[in-house]
Amino acid sequence: AWMDAWRTTTHEVCGGCRLAVHEYANDDTAPHVTVLLLHATGFHARAYEVIAAKLVRECRARVVAPDLPFHGETAVLNDGVERADALYSWQNIADRVVAPLCDALRLDERGVVVFGHSMGGAVGHRLAEIRPRVVRSLVAFEPIIRQDVEVETVELRVAFEAQRDILSSTAQRRKNSPHETVQGAFEAHRGRAIFAAWHDDCLLAYVKYGFHWETAVQSLRGTLLCEPANEARMYQGGPIHVHPTNVHCPVMMLMGGLRRAQRPECISAEKYCVRTESSLVIMPNASHFGPFEDPNAICECVRRSAMQSYQMCNSKL
């Protein structure tokens, strides 16, 4: 079963962070492509298992998916407050966590296709700037990115700041109420509007691996691994300012069609595509949670990006 195919390793990065890295691959065949999967704020790598499994089956991919700091199974040691605080910054996550992980795994040898969602898309953009030999192509679903003042209007800047504050305050107020069972958590979340359109397996993976189920601390059992206070601070750590002229790989921007004219991340992404002639794919019926609503469409975009980037590389040899 695809749920059992993950293997997890731990990597010490930037001194105080024990990064949990989940890998998904078919041991019987050499991978055609490596995909680095970077998750959104408040989620975790294994929530994207449906996407990872499909990429392995249909593209013979190896998927490398880290739990970013304060998410999933990754542990941030609070032996130095300043050190821990630095890891709420999305740019620091790219520079001090993801880039060293790529170095440790020697991902520059064949390069990777990066798929990033929301915060993960922003981190992926930064990685493409600072590790150009690693990133062959980038597929970003509604990355939370800002551009320079020549492109970004005052209205867009204000909209980003308002969105960040709203998300942060909402997360801060969220109650981390415990659930008795995985099935109970699944049904409770299925009843909430933002999860209503999710693919069943995506929602199951989110609750199965995003909560404390195997713990000796009874008060933690059934509660979120990403604590609301940490999620709130993570929102304050972004967006990332990107410099499109420093990104030399093909970029494919994905976005949901629902309310896209009102959402600053979509407005910024469209401006990016016009400026750089990057490809833009709109999923008409998707929201900001499109990767969980239509994982098949995401896989098809990653497959197309991989084919394009590897063909371009081979043509240069």
Side-chain angles (χ1 to χ4, degrees):
W2 56 265
M3 283 281 191
D4 299 327
W6 284 88
R7 57 176 174 239
T8 300
T9 55
T10 302
H11 297 261
E12 296 280 350
V13 293
C14 66
C17 182
R18 293 176 180 168
L19 196 69
V21 180
H22 310 283
E23 290 190 59
Y24 197 62
N26 187 338
D27 290 334
D28 297 331
T29 58
H32 285 173
V33 60
T34 298
V35 177
L36 177 63
L37 192 157
L38 302 173
H39 64 76
T41 304
F43 293 92
H44 53 87
R46 299 190 74 173
Y48 301 79
E49 276 198 336
V50 173
I51 294 173
K54 189 175 179 68
L55 289 173
V56 170
R57 287 195 305 266
E58 299 182 9
C59 304
R60 286 179 59 181
R62 168 197 180 199
V63 179
V64 178
D67 285 328
L68 299 177
F70 305 104
H71 294 78
E73 298 173 35
T74 286
V76 178
L77 307 179
N78 291 309
D79 55 349
V81 174
E82 182 178 348
R83 176 186 298 162
D85 284 352
L87 294 182
Y88 289 105
S89 161
W90 298 5
Q91 181 162 323
N92 284 344
I93 289 174
D95 294 1
R96 304 185 189 182
V97 176
V98 179
L101 174 66
C102 292
D103 296 341
L105 296 179
R106 301 172 67 178
L107 296 183
D108 62 332
E109 291 183 352
R110 296 189 66 237
V112 302
V113 175
V114 175
F115 170 68
H117 177 203
S118 193
M119 172 183 70
V123 171
H125 268 85
R126 174 64 180 171
L127 185 67
E129 290 188 35
I130 63 176
R131 289 292 190 277
R133 291 188 59 190
V134 171
V135 184
R136 285 194 175 204
S137 65
L138 171 64
V139 181
F141 188 94
E142 298 192 4
I144 312 299
I145 56 174
R146 294 175 62 177
Q147 300 172 67
D148 51 47
V149 293
E150 287 79 9
V151 175
E152 187 175 271
T153 63
V154 173
E155 292 79 8
L156 184 55
R157 185 159 57 252
V158 170
F160 263 124
E161 291 169 356
Q163 180 193 60
R164 179 192 62 197
D165 292 343
I166 290 171
L167 290 171
S168 181
S169 62
T170 300
Q172 185 69 52
R173 294 194 305 270
R174 183 175 299 130
K175 294 181 179 179
N176 197 359
S177 302
H179 297 276
E180 291 294 326
T181 63
V182 172
Q183 185 61 30
F186 176 89
E187 292 172 358
H189 284 76
R190 174 58 80 208
R192 296 171 58 187
I194 64 170
F195 297 102
W198 282 34
H199 188 287
D200 279 349
D201 286 339
C202 293
L203 183 56
L204 179 60
Y206 169 69
V207 300
K208 184 175 181 179
Y209 301 113
F211 290 74
H212 292 280
W213 299 116
E214 303 295 331
T215 176
V217 183
Q218 189 61 33
S219 61
L220 286 179
R221 182 171 172 78
T223 61
L224 286 163
L225 287 171
C226 181
E227 298 176 7
N230 284 332
E231 182 181 354
R233 292 193 65 182
M234 289 300 300
Y235 284 121
Q236 294 293 331
I240 286 182
H241 284 76
V242 300
H243 307 280
T245 55
N246 294 339
V247 177
H248 304 294
C249 67
V251 176
M252 182 185 294
M253 288 283 193
L254 314 181
M255 67 178 66
L258 300 181
R259 295 183 57 251
R260 81 174 195 271
Q262 289 79 45
R263 294 191 282 126
E265 64 272 22
C266 294
I267 297 170
S268 183
E270 290 197 56
K271 286 178 176 288
Y272 182 103
C273 290
V274 170
R275 182 181 185 186
T276 62
E277 299 183 350
S278 299
S279 58
L280 173 63
V281 177
I282 298 173
M283 296 165 55
N285 299 317
S287 70
H288 188 65
F289 303 108
F292 307 118
E293 296 163 347
D294 193 351
N296 290 337
I298 299 297
C299 291
E300 175 58 21
C301 289
V302 173
R303 185 192 67 81
R304 284 164 45 197
S305 181
M307 288 181 61
Q308 177 190 9
S309 62
Y310 277 74
Q311 286 171 357
M312 286 178 61
C313 180
N314 291 336
S315 69
K316 295 176 183 177
L317 296 179

